[in-house]
Amino acid sequence: MFSIFILASLWQVCFCHMSLLFPATRDTTAAGQSYIEWERNEPMVPARPTVCHGLPSETSVRAENQFAVNDIITIQLAGTTPHAGGHCSFWYSTDDVTFTKVVDIKDCTIAVAGTVQVRLPDTLPVACGTKCTFAWTWIPVESQQCEIYSNCADI
């Protein structure tokens, strides 16, 4: 019985956070290992305190992640614990060091699926013509500690 309790507790810790699902996020470590769902769902702060969870930029842009200036991206999130909403921000970067905010959306984790949309600005740098990093960050309303969630996708 105790082992079932432990297993159930681990399930909540590993799979019940939130992460960006679409655009498709980076999912391979620098060592070439797959980044599994529970790792993607972990908060950046305090669990993985590096930009993009420390995952390197992919060598090319996936077909489903190819967008143009002024395109509207319908955001999809994964996870089952939206912590009563919170502040979501979407960013782009050409170097994974400096990020420019595209938009803030309040309570994106509790919005009706398919209603969170981000328009890529017409001010994207020319360098984004081939590839940019698209980042999602979220600070939940309710949490037992200071948590910041973040994922990156190459677009």
Side-chain angles (χ1 to χ4, degrees), residues 18-78:
M18 301 295 290
S19 63
L20 181 66
L21 184 62
F22 184 80
T25 59
R26 295 177 183 173
D27 61 4
T28 306
T29 68
Q33 297 172 325
S34 291
Y35 204 63
I36 53 181
E37 183 175 350
W38 70 265
E39 291 174 305
R40 184 180 68 220
N41 287 0
E42 282 189 309
M44 182 177 109
V45 174
R48 300 189 180 272
T50 55
V51 174
C52 302
H53 281 217
L55 298 175
S57 177
E58 296 177 346
T59 56
S60 61
V61 176
R62 301 175 193 193
E64 66 268 28
N65 283 5
Q66 294 183 10
F67 302 101
V69 168
N70 285 319
D71 278 357
I72 296 174
I73 301 173
T74 300
I75 302 299
Q76 293 176 22
L77 300 174

Side-chain angles (χ1 to χ4, degrees), residues 1-129:
M1 183 67 161
F2 182 70
S3 60
I4 292 173
F5 174 75
I6 295 293
L7 186 60
S9 296
L10 287 174
W11 174 262
Q12 283 190 315
V13 169
C14 295
F15 290 101
C16 296
H17 291 291
M18 301 295 290
S19 63
L20 181 66
L21 184 62
F22 184 80
T25 59
R26 295 177 183 173
D27 61 4
T28 306
T29 68
Q33 297 172 325
S34 291
Y35 204 63
I36 53 181
E37 183 175 350
W38 70 265
E39 291 174 305
R40 184 180 68 220
N41 287 0
E42 282 189 309
M44 182 177 109
V45 174
R48 300 189 180 272
T50 55
V51 174
C52 302
H53 281 217
L55 298 175
S57 177
E58 296 177 346
T59 56
S60 61
V61 176
R62 301 175 193 193
E64 66 268 28
N65 283 5
Q66 294 183 10
F67 302 101
V69 168
N70 285 319
D71 278 357
I72 296 174
I73 301 173
T74 300
I75 302 299
Q76 293 176 22
L77 300 174
T80 59
T81 307
H83 295 286
H87 185 89
C88 298
S89 296
F90 296 89
W91 314 76
Y92 70 84
S93 175
T94 59
D95 60 8
D96 284 0
V97 174
T98 303
F99 285 80
T100 301
K101 189 181 290 184
V102 175
V103 67
D104 290 316
I105 299 176
K106 184 178 180 189
D107 297 336
C108 76
T109 59
I110 58 174
V112 175
T115 62
V116 176
Q117 296 184 327
V118 175
R119 179 183 298 274
L120 294 177
D122 57 10
T123 56
L124 283 174
V126 174
C128 285

